Amino acid sequence: MNGDQLTRLLSMVASGEVSPEEALGRLKHMPFTDLGFACADTHRELRQGFPETIYSPGKSAAQIVEVARSLLDHSAKVFATRVLPEQVEEIRAAFPAAYYNAAARLFVIGDLNHRDSLLSKYRCAVVSAGTADLKVAEEACLILEYSGVSLERIFDVGVAGIHRLLDRTELLMKQDCLIVVAGMDGALPSVVGGLVACPVIAVPTSVGYGAGSGGIAPLLTMLNSCAAGITVVNIDNGYGAAMAALRYATVSHDPV
Amino acid sequence: MNGDQLTRLLSMVASGEVSPEEALGRLKHMPFTDLGFACADTHRELRQGFPETIYSPGKSAAQIVEVARSLLDHSAKVFATRVLPEQVEEIRAAFPAAYYNAAARLFVIGDLNHRDSLLSKYRCAVVSAGTADLKVAEEACLILEYSGVSLERIFDVGVAGIHRLLDRTELLMKQDCLIVVAGMDGALPSVVGGLVACPVIAVPTSVGYGAGSGGIAPLLTMLNSCAAGITVVNIDNGYGAAMAALRYATVSHDPV
Amino acid sequence: MNGDQLTRLLSMVASGEVSPEEALGRLKHMPFTDLGFACADTHRELRQGFPETIYSPGKSAAQIVEVARSLLDHSAKVFATRVLPEQVEEIRAAFPAAYYNAAARLFVIGDLNHRDSLLSKYRCAVVSAGTADLKVAEEACLILEYSGVSLERIFDVGVAGIHRLLDRTELLMKQDCLIVVAGMDGALPSVVGGLVACPVIAVPTSVGYGAGSGGIAPLLTMLNSCAAGITVVNIDNGYGAAMAALRYATVSHDPV
Amino acid sequence: MNGDQLTRLLSMVASGEVSPEEALGRLKHMPFTDLGFACADTHRELRQGFPETIYSPGKSAAQIVEVARSLLDHSAKVFATRVLPEQVEEIRAAFPAAYYNAAARLFVIGDLNHRDSLLSKYRCAVVSAGTADLKVAEEACLILEYSGVSLERIFDVGVAGIHRLLDRTELLMKQDCLIVVAGMDGALPSVVGGLVACPVIAVPTSVGYGAGSGGIAPLLTMLNSCAAGITVVNIDNGYGAAMAALRYATVSHDPV
Amino acid sequence: MNGDQLTRLLSMVASGEVSPEEALGRLKHMPFTDLGFACADTHRELRQGFPETIYSPGKSAAQIVEVARSLLDHSAKVFATRVLPEQVEEIRAAFPAAYYNAAARLFVIGDLNHRDSLLSKYRCAVVSAGTADLKVAEEACLILEYSGVSLERIFDVGVAGIHRLLDRTELLMKQDCLIVVAGMDGALPSVVGGLVACPVIAVPTSVGYGAGSGGIAPLLTMLNSCAAGITVVNIDNGYGAAMAALRYATVSHDPV
Amino acid sequence: MNGDQLTRLLSMVASGEVSPEEALGRLKHMPFTDLGFACADTHRELRQGFPETIYSPGKSAAQIVEVARSLLDHSAKVFATRVLPEQVEEIRAAFPAAYYNAAARLFVIGDLNHRDSLLSKYRCAVVSAGTADLKVAEEACLILEYSGVSLERIFDVGVAGIHRLLDRTELLMKQDCLIVVAGMDGALPSVVGGLVACPVIAVPTSVGYGAGSGGIAPLLTMLNSCAAGITVVNIDNGYGAAMAALRYATVSHDPV
Amino acid sequence: MNGDQLTRLLSMVASGEVSPEEALGRLKHMPFTDLGFACADTHRELRQGFPETIYSPGKSAAQIVEVARSLLDHSAKVFATRVLPEQVEEIRAAFPAAYYNAAARLFVIGDLNHRDSLLSKYRCAVVSAGTADLKVAEEACLILEYSGVSLERIFDVGVAGIHRLLDRTELLMKQDCLIVVAGMDGALPSVVGGLVACPVIAVPTSVGYGAGSGGIAPLLTMLNSCAAGITVVNIDNGYGAAMAALRYATVSHDPV
Amino acid sequence: MNGDQLTRLLSMVASGEVSPEEALGRLKHMPFTDLGFACADTHRELRQGFPETIYSPGKSAAQIVEVARSLLDHSAKVFATRVLPEQVEEIRAAFPAAYYNAAARLFVIGDLNHRDSLLSKYRCAVVSAGTADLKVAEEACLILEYSGVSLERIFDVGVAGIHRLLDRTELLMKQDCLIVVAGMDGALPSVVGGLVACPVIAVPTSVGYGAGSGGIAPLLTMLNSCAAGITVVNIDNGYGAAMAALRYATVSHDPV
């Protein structure tokens, strides 16, 4: 509730249109739906322009279905991330038309063809270092694609064979935003960040073993990138990277 | 060197305007200046639209001066970050008109009034949690201001007194990009990220003590933010956050 | 055994009522029952006013039953925490009237209706950030409820949608003690701690992934909380938080 | 601003006593004073009943003086923690009657004799393991004493000579709240927590060397205490422990 | 091979009893048996007076049997530690008279009644804090008992109920050596070490959860023990503690 | 106070020799001297046979002198460890005959010639890997020597030149107890532990740099030693190793 | 593509043999095969002289087969490392003549008899500390053997029985390169590195438990080795060690 | 002492040329010089072909001089690494002709012109990422140069401006061995390792700040390098990298 709305409500109180008690009630009426186990934040799309997303870990399939139904009252489309294989059947039974990607463990529920037309001119690429990073990269790709972004996949271009990356330089330079996904040494965002001027979101993955495993090595590499202006999300957080890319789409400035 | 330039060069070889040997030389002639101890990357501004910046740690004052002179051959203005107090005098002797901010340890050298006019409509705010975070916040502020961005400072609005932040909600919502600086519990970006739709760059600071000191606690908090799409730079890296904000200014898409 | 009791015993030795040998025996007779594999501390409730609790990991179902029986000789009710699903049947066979909560993995054995009447005026709330934190929150809730505390559940009010929490401010302010449970960024106790004056016990949960996973991120956030006077228990330790809340109920001072 | 105040304000708008614009202004007028570099939260004492405290690191002596002056407009007394030795003279020049304790690095500024009379019946003890822990223990002691609490110091009673502690059992049992300060193995709170029923706040100190130094060893010990219901604050955080003890004084329940 | 033996061998060369080539062979003939996959160190018992022990992880049941057979050529008895449940049957088939303890995962193979008579006067106690530590404590107990040591088990005497431990003070003081096993806060060795003068070997266990889990918390506690002269073995290393206790049995000095 | 003493005291109460009140006083009179800032544990030598030792960090020179004086009332000799260079003069002024070793930062105060004659037959060696480990090794050496142990120094025999160690095999085998001090890779105790049957106390030192610096690398090496029965003390804890060696001297068993 | 090739191509453009457009195409035609999910780097063998290797984690059996087929178009032989047991059957069905080693989880596919004859004079030994390190050691051995190196296996020669290693000194000294594999204390490379002058590649393994488990302890030991010039690869990385040994085979200098 | 020498010695015993006692003495006479505080390993150069090096930390200037003198009895030249600035004068007084490099903190003492002529054909390059890495890089350079290696310095070619590195590809490919020094993200060795077939020794430096500072980030990056066969030395260990490069010079195999 912003200042304009508050002023308007207060004017209605002043004019007698709304009683003080009713105004108090409206001010208190928060824009979320209480489901008992979860407060679905139904106004978030309005406030932030983000796609509705259910973070599935810790929720039963039945709970995911219930939250999805509640959110679909307000939105055309809902994502559910990190859905477990054993939950897929029950969710699909509730939403037969839903799309599920097993690699990304992502459900897209609702009107699959609904896109934000404003986003179609926004060009993003998801760049990944190795085939083992594909699951994380694909989670980011699908959220961006289903949100309406013009997406490019540039996969398996790790720095140990630098010519594979350099060959795509022109394609990289055409994008508005890059998500760069890498495990092991996590060196790819540093090289990419030195080639392009656009935003680079680095996603470390838990690919690798031994010292620095679980994604710690690429996370630290990316935080210490010698290419200026690289930002980082948490390990394996393809969803977070996609959401960050969608935040950048809101920048209203004329491009430099 | 992009594809067009390469085609043109090859055409000149075909037409005899340029000999193969000379073409080889041009292809090899890299756009950097060899200073013996450092390869100043003089074409970076052209390639990336970023301000020229010297990372001072490990360099003597004399070396900083020499690199700055080399970069000023190609750029109107140069930043030097993390300059030590004992180096200030020698650098100022070489560049009497330069600006130095002791809190941010930042030098701005060259034409101080030169701004990128395209950036003046780009609105950024730097939000900080406590007075101890000011040094890092100010480093980000100065780089953005001297680059020409319309900057807002929103300081000392930590979450332990949440009303201080909520009072600025409208101001926060007007920005194209937010840099949120916080030490100790690092909780501020999560709250801010839930209030706005624009990009949020979180900067953990090394403020605090005990377990998680040195900035580890706020870094982990920010990587695990429950507000979607927050991205993070390294601890105390105000410079990196400013550079990321400048990358977002290049997004050419119409805002959503 | 306090000073008065010791003086009395010594007086009985002086008067010949008790022989030196017998006095030695009494002094040595410690108030615990030796079960061979475990010394059940049967006098703890008397000494500390705490509910009897069996920490189940490392014990077989048969051992849990045996310890519970021994403790029920002295107490009306016994809790068993972290009981494994495969142990439930055997324990229930021994105590058919016992209550088991699968989410909290908690058994309540004995007289379920027995409450400490003094505690009914003690108002506690358990506040949780997300649905994934429910298991830990529920463990705390059940121990407090079965101990007789007046309990309020305020769930799913994480800081990324700060309006959900602010809407409950009045309810929060009415409590004598708050337990705040959060995973991921663990920012909730900082915001709550700034809103209320009563004790706040922060419980980090192992919800989240990537850097700082396993609860390390919220633990560090909470230890570094910028809201003064927050105290912390170990990760996922809902039981410990409830026990701490019960300790506060012993404070005899008139409230400020 | 609570519900009653909001209803009253809205009624005044309805009755025409207050215009909508003025009501908006009042709702927006947050209870803090903007000093440029810091938002002094002048209403905190009112809201939380806590003593006003300035966390000094990162502030100049001049800034500490300025914030203290601003806070003294609303409070009788102000604490400044972790004041550096080189800042003492300048602060004392501004507040000649102020008390400074060099070991605890604590300033008490304002009316030193002003105490909260309600707190005089609240009995707290600060228990410490070794002489090296005194600095942290003393910070907690002074804040409690100057706030008006009835304080007991029980120092140098580490567990390696357990008889020193057991000798004080009766004294320990008489307290409403215990703060237990220990470095090295951090074992003292576990033993104390098994002897008493009242709240126990454990403070790890950075005393010790080698593995687990900097306070990590006692912090982990205390988080893993086998005595139930122990809570923990950050390493060397004597101030935080005192603030937590003051929070417990607000519990209005009749003691069990 | 010590100096005397070398002198003797060289004398035999000088006298012609042994040829230089044969002497070279003897010098080179190392006291181990090559089994292809493992060099069984058959002379270790002779050299060190230790019981023969097979560390099972990474070995198949067949390999354990083969190494055991090889060692039994030189020793009366062999231990196999950390044997997996699924390997028990195959090993027992090869050694029907062997003893297996499932809690300690320990096999004793060979002449079970063979004891080192010199060790019968050596009094050791294994002290443990909680029932969850029993597996590790029992591994130490069995190796000491089967080696012939006079063993005392003092279990479930954690510091949270300090009277349970103090009641055993006399028994503790009668021992030549104490092994103290504890998880969670690991505080027990500090208290025990303050009560007795004899060697105290501290064994951290991986009992507990959250921060410092996996035994890190008690390990750090024990390394930082404020009781002087406590030594520590690795987490869950009951075997190592028993071997250390056997090393102390070799001290030939008259006791102080 | 042991059982015999308690029985005797109780008998005296029974016979009227001692009144109950006086007995209570005696039972309460703990064997420590309260110095205000520190409880000097004056009976420890009696109870444990250990030398009196003052851990200096956190104490002023004046406090060290005061504690030393108090302890010398009961003991012939007192050690003060980790004395800072700037404290030496003041302490020597108070005890002109005291011995100070600058490398080990150790003071020996009192009757320097007083030795425990029983210890003269107890043979210990301190083995060190490199010259940088000498400070820690010397702390252990001096405490053992001044306690009366027959001491051997075997220095600079690191494993990178294994022949230096093997040359001393006979000398190593003659000892009752070995303290092995090593930094960097910490490999020396593993090799030594395989050569001898006697107790081996491993002391990691903070020698080295980079990953695992501060002594973490050798500490982990030693805890994971593949030579069975090695025990470990904390990093740089030469004092603790010496105290452990003195504990072994109390073993009364005939050597194996 | 090196300078000579570029000059030649440019000359052909100058002479009209090749059109500018075609030259551009050739320059852009990178030597990798795009399989959709993976860019097989088919020219790597040519460029680096290394064996073709597929890192299997994250790839399905079908994908491994497809990449292997693509690589076999250019190479005589392909390795697949870390193949899961459940993938073996499907891969063998595609390549019936392939060799699979279950311990090393390694597939060798293609012409098994094809060796690089130049490598037959290159003598390497793989040295391992314990039987539990065999899996890692064997991975290194097989890659070296199938590449044509003259390989020696020296297994189970850990430092706790130093004579087992010293007995092989002559064999060690004959090698051109040593790979030393060790878990637990990781001390073996330090001793070996002091005995030989040739390159020593240290491989820490994840053998062991407790503090420093997962291979951290031996990794840190090896990085801190007091034997100069030891280099280290990641934990359990037998493949990387073999590849490093093959890199050394390219050194063209006459041996010192 | 190898097998041939042992056989010869034994033959002389057999023939009476040498008495058994004398043979024992010779066998025992180890090739090191006992200086009291350090065993200078005077035969190491003979055994390993390495330059003599004194690791200075923990040694006084006088001790460095004494060890250097002892080593110069057997060698033409001695290095002293990590010499402190305050030690330089005293050492130079003893060796006026010695060379000291302040950046690398390295002393070269003895016959500066003495080089190993065999090494002159061995081509090494030291590659560094940024100017802040120069100190570590220079330590490696000087040891290699003074040992006689043909050295190339390729400095300031970090991956954020990848064209600076690619421009040197031909030079990189001509080397027998590469030492690659990098701090911050440590990505350089991965890119270099993909360009060349020769050995690559990666040296992480402690350049950088925030998470992963002190060199941990580049160390983990390098251990996880996706370029196969990269080996790593400890953080800032330029000396170790040079020694490893010298070990590779001993490989006698014809290059592949």
Side-chain angles (χ1 to χ4, degrees), chain G residues 229-245:
Chain G
I230 305 290
T231 60
V232 186
V233 297
N234 204 353
I235 298 162
D236 287 343
N237 194 359
Y239 162 70
M243 296 304 278

Side-chain angles (χ1 to χ4, degrees), chain B residues 35 37-38 40 44 51-57 59-61 63-72 77-83 91 95 105-107 109 139 143 239, chain H residues 131:
Chain B
L35 302 178
F37 60 89
R44 189 178 289 178
E52 290 296 338
T53 308
I54 303 165
Y55 178 66
S56 305
K59 293 192 183 69
S60 68
Q63 289 176 323
I64 294 169
V65 168
E66 189 173 350
V67 178
R69 285 217 171 98
S70 169
L71 291 170
L72 286 172
K77 199 170 52 204
V78 169
F79 294 98
T81 62
R82 308 212 166 199
V83 177
I91 297 172
F95 304 105
R105 290 188 292 155
L106 182 82
F107 249 113
I109 303 171
E139 186 185 38
I143 290 174
Y239 162 71
Chain H
T131 51

Side-chain angles (χ1 to χ4, degrees), chain A residues 212-249:
Chain A
S213 68
I216 292 300
L219 171 64
L220 292 177
T221 305
M222 292 167 181
L223 286 171
N224 286 281
S225 175
C226 51
I230 306 290
T231 59
V232 186
V233 296
N234 204 353
I235 298 162
D236 287 343
N237 193 359
Y239 162 70
M243 295 304 277
L246 290 174
R247 281 182 182 265
Y248 305 157

Side-chain angles (χ1 to χ4, degrees), chain G residues 47 118 176 194 198 247 252-253, chain H residues 47 118 176 194 198 247 253:
Chain G
R47 241 186 321 129
L118 283 173
D176 288 313
C198 77
R247 282 183 183 265
S252 66
H253 172 67
Chain H
R47 239 185 324 129
L118 282 174
D176 288 311
C198 76
R247 282 182 181 266
H253 172 67

Side-chain angles (χ1 to χ4, degrees), chain E residues 47-48 116 118-119 122-123 176 193-194 196-199 223-224 228-229 231-232 234 239 244 247-250 252-253 255-256, chain F residues 47-48 116 118 122-123 176 193-194 196-199 223-224 228-229 231-232 234 239-240 244 247-250 252-253 255-256:
Chain E
R47 240 186 322 129
Q48 299 197 325
D116 185 334
L118 282 174
L119 283 170
Y122 183 50
R123 294 153 303 174
D176 287 313
V196 303
C198 76
L223 286 170
N224 286 282
T231 59
V232 186
N234 205 352
Y239 162 70
R247 281 183 182 266
Y248 305 157
T250 67
S252 67
H253 172 66
V256 179
Chain F
R47 240 186 323 132
Q48 299 197 326
D116 184 336
L118 284 173
Y122 182 52
R123 293 154 305 174
D176 287 313
V196 303
C198 77
L223 286 170
N224 286 281
T231 60
V232 186
N234 203 353
Y239 161 70
R247 282 182 182 265
Y248 306 157
T250 67
S252 66
H253 172 67
V256 179

